[in-house]
Amino acid sequence: MINRTTALLTVFLTVFLSTEALCWDGVRKGFVMGAGAGSGFVSYSQWLEGEKLSSDEKLPITSDFKIGYAPNNNLMLYWMSKVSWFSLDNVFGDTVTITNGIGAVGGSYYFAETAPSPYIMGGIGYSTWATPFEEDTDTWMGFGICAGAGYEFSRHISAEFSFSYGRPSTTEHGWEYETRSLSIGLVLNIMGY
């Protein structure tokens, strides 16, 4: 896992730093890439064969990544990944890190062509529930959707408030397990354009 994380970080930094002329010209139109971090709230419930087993709420750390293209100065289209990171005790009594995320095709609409500007965003794709630091575990996947609004204070810097809903599931030994989660996040983003 560490090697994969190192490789992804190296690729991200290489692309991010080598695209300064394309990505940091101050005009939204063109290639866009951004990342952010913040905090939030997650409410989730665990289900087995349609019967609710448990539910809980957490205050996670949230991360946000976007990469795509803006056809003009008001509209951005991108692939996004929004992830809530938190810990919980598993059935064996061990504390594990959970990633509850949304991977989606989405977009943002800015109400002004230059900063400062409020904007709205949304996306539809898949949701995940995983234990990324544990060995021999599967990632649950299912439908996911998100929507939100933000405010770009100055070029490249914005705060974004979003809601995400997902229903990742898996089948093990003939039993269907499902997580239903609602995540609310407030993230500070840096968007290169």
Side-chain angles (χ1 to χ4, degrees):
M1 182 65 189
I2 292 175
N3 290 336
R4 185 182 340 159
T5 303
T6 303
L8 288 172
L9 183 60
T10 302
V11 169
F12 173 75
L13 289 175
T14 302
V15 171
F16 188 73
L17 295 174
S18 67
T19 59
E20 182 176 44
L22 299 173
C23 193
W24 294 95
D25 61 1
V27 178
R28 285 193 200 115
K29 182 179 179 181
F31 175 73
V32 296
M33 182 169 51
S39 187
F41 172 81
V42 173
S43 176
Y44 66 91
S45 57
Q46 303 277 296
W47 297 72
L48 172 61
E49 293 292 322
E51 184 175 325
K52 186 176 181 179
L53 298 176
S54 65
S55 62
D56 202 359
E57 299 170 344
K58 298 287 184 177
L59 297 175
I61 294 173
T62 58
S63 62
D64 190 1
F65 176 76
K66 296 178 178 113
I67 187 167
Y69 182 78
N72 58 49
N73 288 324
N74 295 97
L75 180 64
M76 284 185 187
L77 303 173
Y78 44 72
W79 173 259
M80 71 176 138
S81 174
K82 292 183 172 290
V83 180
S84 298
W85 302 75
F86 57 92
S87 62
L88 60 80
D89 294 331
N90 66 14
V91 294
F92 304 109
D94 300 324
T95 300
V96 296
T97 299
I98 298 291
T99 56
N100 177 38
I102 299 284
V105 174
S108 295
Y109 181 80
Y110 291 79
F111 293 99
E113 289 194 7
T114 59
S117 175
Y119 65 92
I120 55 174
M121 59 78 58
I124 188 167
Y126 65 89
S127 61
T128 60
W129 181 270
T131 53
F133 305 117
E134 303 299 314
E135 293 182 16
D136 300 323
T137 60
D138 293 328
T139 298
W140 301 11
M141 297 184 74
F143 172 76
I145 190 167
C146 68
Y151 188 79
E152 185 179 38
F153 298 101
S154 63
R155 285 185 189 168
H156 315 298
I157 307 292
S158 65
E160 185 174 286
F161 182 75
S162 64
F163 295 90
S164 301
Y165 176 76
R167 291 181 70 163
S169 63
T170 189
T171 301
E172 294 179 14
H173 308 293
W175 297 87
E176 183 180 356
Y177 297 89
E178 182 181 62
T179 297
R180 299 177 187 176
S181 66
L182 175 65
S183 301
I184 300 170
L186 180 60
V187 175
L188 183 63
N189 282 315
I190 298 175
M191 180 67 80
Y193 57 78

